Amino acid sequence: MGVQQRKLAVHDLEIGMFVSDLDRPWHQTPFPIQGFYIRSQNDVRALVSHCKWVMVDEPETRESASVESNSVVGFRARSKQRANGRAEVALPPLSIREPVHHKVTTTLKKEVKTSKRLLGDAEVALERIFDSVHSEAGLDTRLVAGVTKKMVKSVCRQPSALLWLSRTRQYDDFVYRHALNTSVWALVVGRQLGLNEGLLNHLGAGCLLSQVGKTTLPAEIVQHEQQLSVEEFDIFRTYVQRGVEILQPSGISKAVLSVVQGHRERHNGSGFPSGVGGERIPLLAKVAGIAEFFESLIAPREGHEPMTPAKAVGLLYEMRNIEFQKDLVEAFIQAVGVYPAGTLVELSDGCRGVVVSHSPERRLFPSVMIMQTSERSSLKSGKVVDLARYNEGKAQGAVLAVRECLPHGTDGLDLKSLDATNEPRWSLGKIFTR
């Protein structure tokens, strides 16, 4: 049965309704995702300030229809069931002292070329750090600090470049990849929040070092952390405190250590190791926590089917003020887009490809590298379409948009072939616009 919709004046909205469409384009509103549940009167007031009427989905058909859906909206209907019964924790809005407006100062293409060795250097630094855990020489975190500064500079200049590189680069070790990708997501969000470079350096280094404690856990627990028994999880969760104990003697700063210690704490107090929540979690640790969680959802791993990035964004939105502070969730989505870099998509004309970057002002129209034609034949070289620019002045029927997100491993859309550091046929160095 299809989803039934009805038009409703915003003043008649009630908590629990699912808003599926507005009386104006979504990109002209502050709402980060197309379609959401009304969970409080604050949501109603926000809609009243922007719209006169909306379309809502009938609840009796929404649940049955969404179970089979692969769309972001369908996933949110399922994720709401997980949120039921979990109290929200509301805090005053985040206030960043002397926020910095980081301007984009270079193109994505140039920054990819400039930073193409950065993640390799970061991987080497992490490998040395992790190896030194079991040596008598002690930890030397200066290498991580140096790499972090370069990563911060890159993200400040052009936030999409390292995201693209981290999503397409191949790593030999999952723990390295997890730490590196978490660091990149966190830096992009920190940039969105207006953190200065000093704080971004602490944040990036803390994320890179956040997984150090896992080197002391049994290998089988680390390898299967998505499928642990209760007893195994009790051992797994000790990795945070183990990491803190390893890093403390190295003389690392308290700010960096707080990121390591707090990245698994949660807004509602359901995290570990201390079970603190709300304002008791340091800001940098909150940013690291949402980045680490997002990466754990989308990372491909043996025995674990990853979510599409768009579905993971949908889940985050449903967890606002539950496991993650609302302000941070919205900043995360504003920073990475509704369709984050690396999302496999099919466009409305049937062509398929991967999201390269997004436009903050036009969140539903990212830049997409086309890899397959509508007939599913692979192109000899990728071509990037900036959907926001392509659709300027287009009539409604001619608009090119994302039709759906595709799962990891979709035939012909292999992210391994997108390693921009090796200048493959899909390299950003071969961009041209349709």
Side-chain angles (χ1 to χ4, degrees):
M1 182 183 296
V3 175
Q4 300 295 315
Q5 294 181 314
R6 63 188 171 103
K7 185 176 178 179
L8 203 63
V10 288
H11 292 285
D12 295 329
L13 291 171
E14 298 177 1
I15 293 173
M17 289 181 172
F18 187 91
V19 177
S20 57
D21 207 354
L22 309 177
D23 62 0
R24 66 192 60 240
W26 286 87
H27 67 264
Q28 294 178 4
T29 74
F31 307 118
I33 296 180
Q34 184 170 346
F36 60 91
Y37 282 98
I38 297 175
R39 301 196 319 185
S40 68
Q41 287 301 322
N42 285 336
D43 291 340
V44 175
R45 283 191 286 270
L47 284 163
V48 168
S49 66
H50 289 88
C51 306
K52 294 182 178 179
W53 58 264
V54 298
M55 300 296 293
V56 298
D57 288 0
E58 297 291 350
E60 63 270 19
T61 61
R62 178 89 206 161
E63 290 297 323
S64 60
S66 64
V67 170
E68 300 300 325
S69 173
N70 288 323
S71 69
V72 183
V73 173
F75 179 76
R76 286 197 296 280
R78 295 196 298 276
S79 67
K80 181 176 185 291
Q81 297 172 0
R82 297 179 57 185
N84 283 345
R86 302 166 70 183
E88 294 185 39
V89 180
L91 293 178
L94 279 175
S95 178
I96 306 298
R97 183 180 300 176
E98 298 180 357
V100 178
H101 176 63
H102 300 281
K103 294 183 179 180
V104 174
T105 59
T106 186
T107 65
L108 175 59
K109 180 178 177 180
K110 287 182 178 179
E111 189 59 33
V112 165
K113 289 185 176 180
T114 300
S115 302
K116 65 181 181 180
R117 298 171 72 175
L118 244 182
L119 294 184
D121 292 342
E123 186 178 356
V124 170
L126 282 179
E127 184 177 8
R128 292 181 183 177
I129 287 288
F130 284 24
D131 287 346
S132 66
V133 169
H134 304 287
S135 72
E136 298 180 359
L139 294 181
D140 183 355
T141 59
R142 288 176 295 180
L143 194 57
V144 165
V147 169
T148 301
K149 288 182 180 179
K150 294 179 181 178
M151 292 174 65
V152 168
K153 293 288 187 184
S154 175
V155 168
C156 287
R157 288 190 299 262
Q158 168 53 258
S160 295
L162 277 187
L163 273 183
W164 172 258
L165 290 170
S166 67
R167 294 288 288 136
T168 58
R169 182 177 169 80
Q170 299 179 58
Y171 300 100
D172 295 329
D173 190 290
F174 174 81
V175 178
Y176 296 165
R177 183 179 72 224
H178 190 71
L180 285 170
N181 290 357
T182 294
S183 183
V184 175
W185 290 117
L187 289 178
V188 170
V189 178
R191 180 188 189 277
Q192 174 71 29
L193 290 170
L195 301 182
N196 61 44
E197 289 193 22
L199 291 174
L200 290 175
N201 281 321
H202 293 321
L203 175 61
C207 290
L208 288 175
L209 296 170
S210 63
Q211 309 297 300
V212 165
K214 290 182 179 179
T215 63
T216 66
L217 296 179
E220 59 272 16
I221 287 182
V222 177
Q223 291 168 0
H224 302 97
E225 63 181 68
Q226 303 287 347
Q227 303 165 325
L228 299 178
S229 65
V230 173
E231 294 78 12
E232 289 171 330
F233 185 72
D234 285 340
I235 298 172
F236 172 79
R237 63 191 292 170
T238 66
Y239 88 83
V240 174
Q241 191 57 38
R242 290 170 185 246
V244 171
E245 293 170 358
I246 290 168
L247 293 168
Q248 273 180 328
S250 70
I252 200 167
S253 75
K254 290 183 179 179
V256 173
L257 203 61
S258 73
V259 174
V260 177
Q261 189 160 24
H263 75 279
R264 292 304 292 255
E265 303 291 358
R266 293 294 179 258
H267 185 64
N268 61 356
S270 63
F272 60 85
S274 301
V276 298
E279 293 181 325
R280 297 184 63 189
I281 307 174
L283 174 61
L284 297 186
K286 290 182 180 183
V287 177
I290 197 170
E292 195 272 345
F293 178 76
F294 186 79
E295 175 62 20
S296 70
L297 294 178
I298 67 172
R301 193 173 189 184
E302 184 178 353
H304 171 65
E305 184 65 28
M307 286 186 186
T308 67
K311 283 186 177 182
V313 164
L315 177 57
L316 278 182
Y317 192 64
E318 282 303 316
M319 298 175 82
R320 64 197 192 283
N321 272 359
I322 298 175
E323 293 202 22
F324 302 104
Q325 190 168 341
K326 176 183 176 181
D327 295 5
L328 282 181
V329 172
E330 294 180 353
F332 188 99
I333 297 171
Q334 289 164 4
V336 308
V338 176
Y339 306 109
T343 303
L344 302 179
V345 296
E346 181 174 312
L347 301 182
S348 52
D349 64 356
C351 292
R352 290 180 167 186
V354 58
V355 173
V356 174
S357 64
H358 80 287
S359 167
E361 294 78 24
R362 305 295 300 272
R363 293 185 292 273
L364 300 181
F365 296 130
S367 291
V368 178
M369 180 179 284
I370 307 299
M371 300 172 67
Q372 286 183 340
T373 67
S374 57
E375 291 77 27
R376 303 293 176 268
S377 60
S378 296
L379 300 177
K380 292 183 178 180
S381 62
K383 55 183 177 181
V384 170
V385 181
D386 180 342
L387 295 182
R389 182 178 298 177
Y390 178 85
N391 289 321
E392 288 179 357
K394 292 285 194 303
Q396 185 62 34
V399 167
L400 185 62
V402 175
R403 175 186 291 164
E404 65 173 326
C405 298
L406 304 172
H408 172 77
T410 297
D411 288 344
L413 303 180
D414 185 5
L415 284 179
K416 293 179 181 179
S417 68
L418 294 170
D419 190 346
T421 63
N422 291 328
E423 294 293 330
R425 63 183 178 134
W426 302 117
S427 168
L428 284 177
K430 300 178 180 178
I431 284 179
F432 64 93
T433 303
R434 173 165 132 185

